[in-house]
Amino acid sequence: MTDRLNALRELAIPFLVTASFRRQARAYAAQYFTPDTQQRVYFNSLAVLVADGYFRLLGFETNVTQPERWNAAYRLWSEANELELTGLGYLECCVITTEHEAVILPSVTQSRYLGYLFVEIANSEQAATLFGFLPASETTDAEIAIADLQSMDDLIDYLALTQEFAQKKITYLRNWLNNIYAADWEPSMRDLKTATCKKKLELAGKVLEMQLSVSESNEELIFVRVNVKSESGALPVGMQVSVPDESDIYTETVIESADLISIPLELTSGEEFWVALQIGEIVLREYFIT
């Protein structure tokens, strides 16, 4: 666990807590009535302002400058712990200390939340560290060990993929289970639990067929099988089919004559993923949400 914490700390982002951050956080916290709430809101607001400063440096747009965001009368649903990254969604900012070994994930009220960002505030209140994050797929009200957080590098990769999804055409696989199909996907097979559709793709002069089978379990898990084959003959040697695998990428490569690549996936409801086909330097991606 110590090695994991050390690795997280090496990738953490130190950030200055300016006097203006402290003034703004105190002014907002003063709108609440009890000392305990004021203190909690103050530190959470510092975390949001630190996160806002960091993401603005990276070129993201946020909602922090909107006046109503800092008016408690407008915020019956939240104490303003969240930071909106415009066009992408919300990060829930959580304050931790160096003594924390675990944290309970708070419930979130935003429908487009991206996940949890953990910010360590120094005792001096003059410095902070953006320590790590957890994606939106984690269960709220669950206790998570600090050592199990993902790094800030992982967060940037996660946001880059989310940004990519926001700009691409997405196929919603749950629709297939309800007999709703996009025009470019042809229904292939159907039974009580599974829907299968296929689509022709052209890549590097080759005509390929991608086929996805989708089924839903009783545990809110979505099972997807990705099949890729050539319209005529074997798949080209060296061709790769890749899918995201948690924080990594899983790739199948055609190393000898083969007619089919088949990859099973177990996903949560509403999870984003992609399938990438590559021949040589040419890459084609299809984007999906379960």
Side-chain angles (χ1 to χ4, degrees):
M1 180 177 291
T2 300
D3 290 343
R4 176 61 181 160
L5 283 173
N6 288 338
L8 284 170
R9 194 164 291 283
E10 286 179 5
L11 295 172
I13 307 296
F15 207 90
L16 179 67
V17 178
T18 65
S20 64
F21 286 179
R22 295 192 293 274
R23 284 195 299 269
Q24 187 171 351
R26 287 193 190 98
Y28 181 64
Q31 298 178 49
Y32 292 83
F33 298 108
T34 65
D36 287 347
T37 303
Q38 288 176 349
Q39 184 180 39
R40 182 177 66 248
V41 170
Y42 170 70
F43 282 105
N44 285 336
S45 298
L46 285 182
V48 169
L49 292 167
V50 166
D52 174 70
Y54 172 66
F55 285 112
R56 282 179 175 274
L57 284 177
L58 296 182
F60 290 90
E61 294 183 7
T62 74
N63 69 335
V64 162
T65 58
Q66 297 175 3
E68 62 272 14
R69 192 192 183 287
W70 301 104
N71 187 332
Y74 286 92
R75 303 185 57 82
L76 299 178
W77 47 269
S78 170
E79 293 179 355
N81 303 342
E82 85 293 338
L83 174 69
E84 181 183 5
L85 301 180
T86 306
L88 298 179
Y90 295 83
L91 282 169
E92 187 79 3
C93 296
C94 305
V95 176
I96 59 173
T97 68
T98 54
E99 291 78 24
H100 270 123
E101 294 184 356
V103 64
I104 296 177
L105 300 183
S107 299
V108 294
T109 55
Q110 295 290 349
S111 59
R112 294 189 302 114
Y113 84 102
L114 299 163
Y116 303 88
L117 174 65
F118 294 85
V119 181
E120 193 177 88
I121 307 292
N123 292 334
S124 66
E125 301 174 18
Q126 296 183 6
T129 303
L130 292 99
F131 192 81
F133 101 110
L134 286 172
S137 56
E138 297 293 337
T139 305
T140 60
D141 298 324
E143 186 173 83
I144 301 293
I146 297 298
D148 290 336
L149 300 183
Q150 295 184 30
S151 73
M152 291 301 296
D153 280 5
D154 293 328
L155 172 57
I156 298 305
D157 291 342
Y158 180 76
L159 293 177
L161 181 59
T162 302
Q163 203 163 36
E164 188 176 351
F165 264 83
Q167 299 166 353
K168 302 295 182 180
K169 182 178 179 180
I170 298 171
T171 300
Y172 292 84
L173 297 183
R174 182 177 287 276
N175 287 346
W176 295 2
L177 297 172
N178 296 317
N179 292 306
I180 302 170
Y181 305 100
D184 51 351
W185 285 90
E186 177 187 349
S188 176
M189 292 179 285
R190 180 67 196 245
D191 59 30
L192 292 177
K193 294 183 178 181
T194 306
T196 303
C197 290
K198 60 185 180 180
K199 179 180 182 177
K200 289 185 179 179
L201 302 167
E202 186 173 341
L203 179 66
K206 306 289 185 180
V207 179
L208 307 170
E209 180 182 280
M210 182 184 295
Q211 177 179 284
L212 270 69
S213 297
V214 185
S215 60
E216 184 174 17
S217 78
N218 294 328
E219 301 175 350
E220 291 300 314
L221 293 176
I222 306 292
F223 298 101
V224 177
R225 179 168 290 276
V226 179
N227 292 330
V228 178
K229 61 183 181 179
S230 175
E231 190 177 54
S232 58
L235 292 167
V237 173
M239 175 183 169
Q240 295 183 327
V241 178
S242 301
V243 296
D245 180 22
E246 295 183 352
S247 60
D248 204 352
I249 296 174
Y250 175 79
T251 299
E252 288 271 4
T253 303
V254 180
I255 56 176
E256 57 185 22
S257 181
D259 298 324
L260 177 73
I261 285 181
S262 184
I263 303 176
L265 300 172
E266 184 178 278
L267 306 164
T268 57
S269 180
E271 186 171 348
E272 300 174 342
F273 74 101
W274 46 262
V275 179
L277 311 182
Q278 181 168 353
I279 298 176
E281 298 299 318
I282 304 174
V283 181
L284 184 152
R285 278 193 181 190
E286 292 283 325
Y287 298 84
F288 305 92
I289 293 181
T290 54

